[in-house]
Every structure is written in structure tokens, then in C-alpha cells.
Amino acid sequence: MDNRQAIGSWLSGPRAAAEDMGAEFGYRGERLGLPEEGPGSLARFGRRLGALAIDWALCNLIAYGLLADGRATTVSNWALLVFVVMAVLTVGTLGFTPGKRLVRVRVISVTGARLTFPRAVLRTLLLALAVPALVWDRDQRGLHDRLSGSAQVRY
């Protein structure tokens, strides 16, 4: 391996270097038995981030208008509480939050069934901590999804 190859593998990351050496990773969601594209495939990062932004804006609006009593310093605390309650109730019953519904993403169990309410609670509490959502596997599923046995899919 010459210096150009070593620098190229360092810049492109370990996955690209492993693929250059012949490792086969497959597509995102293949290990879960999900299709590669279309309905039922894993939702991409942009959709998930858009859904989170919509949900967070809605929670901030509710917190500012109904709970914070006009005090801007407490809005973020109330917004987090509203987010947790909203996510537990909507994901635990419907399988999606309002933001996920708008971007056509739903949360399912990795077995393909509806996510149970206790798993929805676990998923939401881990998501509220923020750090588990920032740790991904090779399918780009957050640690909160892995630990709760869930996946976010398109529909």
C-alpha cells in the first residue's frame, strides 16, 4: 500500500477502506430483512431529521404558548417534557409522531410488527438523552432504535 492509498482510506473512512479490500456490507436494512428502496425500507437521515425538526418546533410552540407562561428561559425544559409525552403517546399507539407522519416515516419493531408501548417508552427516554441517537450502526439506526428493537421505515 502506497501513501496515496493509506491517505485515501483514512479520508474516506473505515467502511470505504473495507469495501476496497473486498468486504461486502450489503444495503442498509438488509440484515433486518427490509427492502432496499420504497415503502418498508429504512428511512434516510434527512427524513428522520426533518421529522425531528417538525416535532421539536411543535413542542416548542406548545411549551411557549401553554406552559412557559411567557418566560423564555423555561421553554426548552417544557418543550422536552412535551416532546417525551408526545412521542411516548403517539409512537406507542400510532407508530409515528406528527413530524414522522408528515414526512411519511413510521416506527416499527424489527420483527415487522407494531412497536409495543414499553419499547416505545424506552426508545423515547433514550432519544430524550440525545447521545444514543447520535451513535449509529452500519444501517444508520441510532442506539435508541437498536436498544428498543425498533426501526424507522418509509411508508
Side-chain angles (χ1 to χ4, degrees), residues 47 50-51 53-55 58 96-106 155:
R47 281 182 188 250
I54 292 168
D55 289 335
L58 180 64
F96 49 79
T97 62
K100 288 185 189 328
R101 174 75 172 137
L102 288 174
V103 299
R104 302 188 54 81
V105 171
R106 66 185 183 137
Y155 71 93

Side-chain angles (χ1 to χ4, degrees), residues 57-71 74-75 78-79 81-82:
L58 180 64
C59 291
N60 271 304
L61 184 65
I62 292 170
Y64 184 76
L66 299 177
L67 302 171
D69 211 22
R71 293 177 302 211
T74 62
V75 170
W78 284 111
L81 179 67
V82 170

Side-chain angles (χ1 to χ4, degrees), residues 1-148:
M1 177 182 284
D2 67 0
N3 287 339
R4 288 176 297 173
Q5 288 176 323
I7 291 172
S9 67
W10 177 74
L11 290 174
S12 56
R15 180 179 177 128
E19 286 174 345
D20 288 344
M21 291 188 298
E24 186 65 38
F25 289 109
Y27 62 86
R28 293 179 333 104
E30 183 176 20
R31 295 182 306 157
L32 301 173
L34 300 173
E36 186 172 3
E37 291 293 325
S41 65
L42 282 177
R44 299 227 182 256
F45 177 73
R47 281 182 188 250
R48 297 188 327 250
L49 185 62
L52 181 63
I54 292 168
D55 289 335
W56 190 247
L58 180 64
C59 291
N60 271 304
L61 184 65
I62 292 170
Y64 184 76
L66 299 177
L67 302 171
D69 211 22
R71 293 177 302 211
T73 56
T74 62
V75 170
S76 60
N77 294 334
W78 284 111
L80 183 61
L81 179 67
V82 170
F83 178 80
V84 167
V85 170
M86 178 190 68
V88 165
L89 292 177
T90 57
V91 172
T93 58
L94 302 171
F96 49 79
T97 62
K100 288 185 189 328
R101 174 75 172 137
L102 288 174
V103 299
R104 302 188 54 81
V105 171
R106 66 185 183 137
V107 180
I108 63 168
S109 173
V110 291
T111 62
R114 188 178 64 82
L115 193 64
T116 62
F117 194 78
R119 286 184 181 212
V121 171
L122 174 65
R123 181 185 181 279
T124 302
L125 292 177
L126 289 170
L127 182 60
L129 293 175
V131 174
L134 299 174
V135 178
W136 298 347
D137 65 2
R138 74 176 194 210
D139 289 324
Q140 293 182 347
R141 287 174 47 219
L143 189 58
H144 65 293
D145 280 329
R146 285 193 56 111
L147 292 176
S148 65

